Amino acid sequence: MKGTVGELGEFGLIRELTSRLTTTPNVRLGPGDDAAVVAAPDRRVVATTDVLLEGRHFRRDWSTAYDVGRKAAAQNLADIAAMGAVPTAVLLALVVPAELPATWPIELMDGIRDECQVAGAAVVGGDVVRGDTITVAITALGDLRNREPVTRSGARPGDVIAVTGWLGWSAAGLAVLSRGFRSPRAFVEAHRRPEPPYHAGPAAAELGATAMTDVSDGLVADLGHIATASGVLINLKSADIDVPAQMSDIGQAVGVDPLHWVLTGGEDHAIVAAFPPDVKLPARWRVIGEVLKAPGTPHVTVDGAAWDKAGGWDHFGDTTAQGAGD
Amino acid sequence: MKGTVGELGEFGLIRELTSRLTTTPNVRLGPGDDAAVVAAPDRRVVATTDVLLEGRHFRRDWSTAYDVGRKAAAQNLADIAAMGAVPTAVLLALVVPAELPATWPIELMDGIRDECQVAGAAVVGGDVVRGDTITVAITALGDLRNREPVTRSGARPGDVIAVTGWLGWSAAGLAVLSRGFRSPRAFVEAHRRPEPPYHAGPAAAELGATAMTDVSDGLVADLGHIATASGVLINLKSADIDVPAQMSDIGQAVGVDPLHWVLTGGEDHAIVAAFPPDVKLPARWRVIGEVLKAPGTPHVTVDGAAWDKAGGWDHFGDTTAQGAGD
């Protein structure tokens, strides 16, 4: 594929993009009509949308188009899983500059398609328009399989807090990249391409999770959403939170407490949930804290104290590199 | 509401936006969690997405934020109706500059909410991020009520082509605006705020429509999609196509054949469909053409000849004002 997006034209680009897609039995009508039709066996559909901007959420010199596609799909599909649902379909609204090489949106779509396949979903529709800033807005749909959605508001005092997936890897990778390095590769790769544990969301719902979310803004910030919605205090025990040795090494090299990445780094899309205390969790879940009565304002503590470094990320704030500061 | 989007902050803005929303019985879980949950009684969900950019699809000096919201929602909800489905829910991915007055996204949301109410739907989720160009990406969902979707591919030789809704009004309004005028108001209003006949989509499905679409790129262009998908020739009869007297007056004033607006103007989101010849259509449908065997490449003719002026709109082309040229 040679030339630019402008040379290929809107319809030429849409043809290229849709020709690369795969399907699933849930796709009753794919791209090419006024709308798609997707199975919703549960008689309810779970839906979420997220938007990524070049310069703000990704950089073309740090991530390939394919990786941006994987990541953009992953963050939406993880939101579906975090409700306890199984992802079924994705729609893409894409803004691309006319002078962008046509290979870029095509490789982006390959990434979205492949991440959808990992999660069991398929791309069913989209829209492409010309604009100055590459903008990737994805909507993901999912099916609850006759279980109730696991919201953020059901955590009860006495519950345990458990997590599965990666924590702080993306933030450590970003710290490496923003200092001009390209290794250690495991962390850089984790920043470029998260691996959310999609299966863990529905599995947690089946195990009786009382509240759940994916870690997109950072563990403390996202558990803060659960604390607020549930009206509880959540206390994390740092001794129960793994900090990989390799992450400690990078932390030392760049002068960052690696626990900070683990507690405040988003974008790995780990799944964190509250469970009744007697739950029997599969091996890859780690109990990292407990749910307590909120003495005042619901919030999150680490070893009984506020985690006083900035957690999470306000998209309108001045911070441009999540978790990269100290 | 004073101040800018940046002063209000991401979470403050999201609070303002979600506090204004209304709900429907189809909304099982609204905004505020990882994802929303919407009823899909049919066990299938219809889904579509479209993106609007400032400067390309709307101008802040020509349209209020409220009107942009109405229009952005309308074009997605019309796509749902054009499948024969009933709109249920909408998700919004919004990019706004930090220096934008906070009233702008709030009034935009009011417009989206109100247009959803017209169509029987509700806003259930979204994402807001900061960026240079106002970008409004909307995803709409709908329910087929146990009917099969009406695609673009079912038109058969012998069918009649019928349309309901407005044709060319938005294009005439744009022509007026782009020449520096603000009246006649009916056309300017039609450009700012389309009124798709949402009910007509499911009604047409019930009446046995064999193919259907909404008119977003222009009547000839959109029927061209049906002709191609169905492998047929579609012939329109200009004598059966109304050109309102007021539109003729504007055409004369600005030197444009008003039939050109009717045949190639998009954005009014009329609904056009093919029906079996014996169909009994309600009063507001007008039969404007017929479906014939394609002698070669499927296409659309007007009175047996190609409509030789440019129809439709390639978003990567150089045309910036749809239907405004001659």
Side-chain angles (χ1 to χ4, degrees):
Chain A
M1 178 60 49
K2 288 178 182 178
T4 66
V5 159
E7 285 158 12
L8 193 55
E10 180 195 8
F11 294 115
L13 179 56
I14 289 174
R15 248 194 318 272
E16 279 296 325
L17 295 180
T18 53
S19 73
R20 314 175 77 78
L21 297 179
T22 51
T23 189
T24 74
N26 281 325
V27 180
R28 301 299 166 80
L29 183 68
D33 220 294
D34 291 307
V37 182
V38 180
D42 178 82
R43 294 185 188 269
R44 295 168 297 180
V45 62
V46 181
T48 186
T49 194
D50 265 316
V51 55
L52 275 74
L53 292 187
E54 182 180 9
R56 183 137 199 96
H57 302 99
F58 64 88
R59 284 175 53 162
R60 268 192 278 162
D61 55 340
W62 285 358
S63 295
T64 64
Y66 181 83
D67 285 342
V68 173
R70 295 286 299 242
K71 190 170 188 166
Q75 79 177 52
N76 281 282
L77 296 163
D79 279 331
I80 297 294
M83 300 302 292
V86 177
T88 53
V90 150
L91 297 100
L92 167 68
L94 179 63
V95 179
V96 279
E99 64 276 16
L100 188 70
T103 48
W104 203 93
I106 289 169
E107 288 167 19
L108 176 88
M109 182 57 101
D110 286 349
I112 295 172
R113 174 201 62 208
D114 288 356
E115 191 67 24
C116 281
Q117 281 195 320
V118 171
V123 179
V124 296
D127 188 23
V128 181
V129 304
R130 188 177 70 182
D132 292 333
T133 307
I134 301 179
T135 307
V136 183
I138 286 187
T139 300
L141 306 178
D143 185 69
L144 284 163
R145 297 206 174 160
N146 300 315
R147 285 183 298 260
E148 284 311 293
V150 183
T151 67
R152 297 173 178 175
S153 61
R156 296 161 305 194
D159 285 350
V160 297
I161 295 291
V163 67
T164 188
W166 308 92
L167 284 174
W169 287 61
S170 177
L174 181 60
V176 166
L177 282 167
S178 61
R179 283 159 176 82
F181 299 104
R182 300 275 169 149
S183 66
R185 204 171 144 178
F187 295 96
V188 171
E189 284 296 302
H191 176 69
R192 290 181 174 146
R193 198 186 297 177
E195 291 182 3
Y198 298 117
H199 63 282
E206 192 65 38
L207 288 164
T210 56
M212 181 156 55
T213 192
D214 74 307
V215 180
S216 51
D217 293 333
L219 185 63
V220 171
D222 287 308
L223 280 173
H225 299 145
I226 287 183
T228 302
S230 300
V232 296
L233 172 68
I234 291 173
N235 182 49
L236 299 179
K237 297 169 188 168
S238 64
D240 294 336
I241 298 175
D242 284 337
V243 176
Q246 216 185 348
M247 199 185 285
S248 300
D249 293 345
I250 307 175
Q252 202 150 21
V254 303
V256 173
D257 177 357
L259 187 62
H260 182 70
W261 288 326
V262 171
L263 291 176
T264 70
E267 299 199 327
D268 291 297
H269 303 288
I271 302 259
V272 64
F275 292 95
D278 57 350
V279 68
K280 299 271 178 293
L281 290 170
R284 295 198 184 188
W285 287 85
R286 304 182 300 280
V287 172
I288 57 169
E290 60 195 338
V291 179
L292 303 165
K293 272 192 196 168
T297 310
H299 66 292
V300 178
T301 54
V302 179
D303 303 326
W307 183 255
D308 55 0
K309 298 174 188 177
W313 194 23
D314 186 318
H315 294 282
F316 292 108
D318 284 330
T319 310
T320 53
Q322 169 184 14
D326 181 37
Chain B
M1 180 57 50
K2 289 178 182 177
T4 65
V5 159
E7 285 158 13
L8 192 55
E10 181 195 7
F11 294 116
L13 179 57
I14 289 174
R15 248 192 318 273
E16 280 296 323
L17 296 180
T18 52
S19 73
R20 314 173 76 78
L21 297 179
T22 52
T23 189
T24 74
N26 281 325
V27 180
R28 301 299 166 81
L29 183 69
D33 219 294
D34 291 308
V37 182
V38 180
D42 177 81
R43 294 185 188 270
R44 294 169 296 180
V45 62
V46 182
T48 185
T49 194
D50 266 315
V51 55
L52 275 73
L53 292 186
E54 182 180 11
R56 181 136 201 98
H57 302 100
F58 64 88
R59 285 174 52 160
R60 268 192 279 163
D61 55 340
W62 285 358
S63 295
T64 64
Y66 182 82
D67 285 343
V68 174
R70 296 286 299 241
K71 190 170 187 165
Q75 77 178 52
N76 281 282
L77 296 163
D79 279 330
I80 297 295
M83 299 303 291
V86 178
T88 53
V90 151
L91 297 101
L92 167 67
L94 179 64
V95 180
V96 280
E99 64 275 15
L100 188 71
T103 49
W104 202 94
I106 289 168
E107 288 166 20
L108 175 89
M109 183 56 101
D110 286 348
I112 294 172
R113 174 199 63 207
D114 289 357
E115 190 67 25
C116 281
Q117 281 194 319
V118 170
V123 179
V124 297
D127 188 24
V128 181
V129 303
R130 188 177 69 182
D132 293 332
T133 307
I134 301 178
T135 307
V136 183
I138 287 187
T139 300
L141 306 178
D143 185 69
L144 284 164
R145 297 207 174 160
N146 300 316
R147 285 183 298 262
E148 283 311 294
V150 183
T151 66
R152 297 174 177 174
S153 61
R156 296 161 305 193
D159 285 351
V160 297
I161 296 292
V163 67
T164 188
W166 309 91
L167 283 174
W169 286 62
S170 176
L174 180 61
V176 166
L177 283 167
S178 59
R179 282 159 177 82
F181 299 104
R182 300 278 171 145
S183 66
R185 201 170 146 178
F187 295 97
V188 171
E189 283 297 302
H191 176 69
R192 289 180 175 145
R193 198 186 298 177
E195 292 183 1
Y198 298 117
H199 62 282
E206 192 65 39
L207 288 163
T210 56
M212 181 154 59
T213 192
D214 74 308
V215 179
S216 51
D217 292 333
L219 185 62
V220 170
D222 287 308
L223 281 173
H225 298 146
I226 287 184
T228 301
S230 301
V232 297
L233 173 68
I234 291 174
N235 182 49
L236 299 178
K237 296 169 189 171
S238 64
D240 294 337
I241 298 175
D242 285 336
V243 176
Q246 217 185 348
M247 199 185 286
S248 299
D249 293 346
I250 306 175
Q252 203 149 22
V254 302
V256 173
D257 177 357
L259 187 61
H260 182 69
W261 287 327
V262 172
L263 291 176
T264 70
E267 300 199 328
D268 292 296
H269 302 289
I271 301 258
V272 64
F275 292 96
D278 57 350
V279 69
K280 299 270 178 292
L281 290 170
R284 295 199 183 187
W285 287 84
R286 306 181 299 282
V287 172
I288 57 169
E290 60 195 339
V291 179
L292 304 165
K293 272 192 195 166
T297 311
H299 65 295
V300 178
T301 55
V302 179
D303 303 326
W307 182 256
D308 56 359
K309 299 173 188 179
W313 193 25
D314 185 318
H315 295 280
F316 292 108
D318 284 332
T319 310
T320 55
Q322 171 184 15
D326 181 35

